[in-house]
Amino acid sequence: MNKNQKIAVGCGVAGCLGLILLVIIFVLLGVLGYVALPGVSSSNRNYNYNSNRDSNYNSNANTDSNSNSDSNSNSDSSSSSSSMSDDDKHKLFQAAGITKDTALIQRALRKMGFVTESGGISADYQQFVKDHAFWALNNREFVRSVITEETARAYVDAHIDD
């Protein structure tokens, strides 16, 4: 065996050992929960996170309903949004967004209480959008049911005046 062949064999062995080390590190990170492993359910972790997020969101919604009692025009929008459950808000938000109809999206946001008197977006909207990403992951069946613009528009038309 000449010098070049020895170098090639050494590099091959080093490469294989490096690859094995990477697999071991990946599996270890998966077991510790830093990386999602295929076939390993992490729905419990997501569910617990969602329930904590929902409780935080509810406290913000309670704060809004107290502050909105000072203004008559705000109480109209908060009464329509307070009558909607969080789940209904997420469904309406999801469906309205899929329609890509700006006027319909703004109407849905007003219905949910996220549009201020001046026409701006309320502070709660950012938290709602963060919560919505987790909601959508846990409600994939609903998301699939309104995946086209037509089905989404039909859902919004049927539920925006609820």
Side-chain angles (χ1 to χ4, degrees):
M1 198 181 236
N2 67 25
K3 186 177 179 181
N4 287 339
Q5 289 173 328
K6 289 179 182 178
I7 291 173
V9 169
C11 288
V13 170
C16 287
L17 290 175
L19 185 59
I20 291 170
L21 181 64
L22 285 175
V23 169
I24 291 170
I25 290 172
F26 182 75
V27 169
L28 181 63
L29 289 174
V31 169
L32 294 175
Y34 292 106
V35 177
L37 293 176
V40 177
S41 175
S42 62
S43 62
N44 287 339
R45 183 178 66 209
N46 288 338
Y47 177 75
N48 289 337
Y49 185 74
N50 280 342
S51 65
N52 290 336
R53 285 299 206 180
D54 286 341
S55 66
N56 289 339
Y57 179 74
N58 285 339
S59 67
N60 289 339
N62 289 337
T63 302
D64 283 347
S65 64
N66 290 337
S67 65
N68 285 338
S69 63
D70 296 338
S71 170
N72 194 18
S73 63
N74 269 351
S75 65
D76 290 341
S77 67
S78 71
S79 66
S80 66
S81 67
S82 65
S83 66
M84 294 180 73
S85 69
D86 285 341
D87 192 53
D88 289 340
K89 287 180 184 180
H90 285 289
K91 286 179 179 179
L92 186 62
F93 181 78
Q94 180 70 32
I98 290 174
T99 67
K100 300 177 187 171
D101 181 342
T102 305
L104 191 59
I105 292 169
Q106 288 177 350
R107 185 174 166 208
L109 290 175
R110 262 190 245 89
K111 169 72 176 171
M112 292 182 282
F114 293 128
V115 177
T116 63
E117 280 184 33
S118 62
I121 299 295
S122 72
D124 294 337
Y125 177 73
Q126 293 298 330
Q127 184 62 46
F128 178 81
V129 171
K130 289 178 187 176
D131 292 342
H132 183 72
F134 295 107
W135 176 91
L137 287 174
N138 291 323
N139 292 278
R140 287 178 234 143
E141 187 175 324
F142 174 79
V143 172
R144 281 190 290 261
S145 74
V146 292
I147 199 70
T148 66
E149 289 183 36
E150 293 79 21
T151 57
R153 184 175 300 277
Y155 180 87
V156 172
D157 289 342
H159 293 89
I160 196 148
D161 293 324
D162 289 351

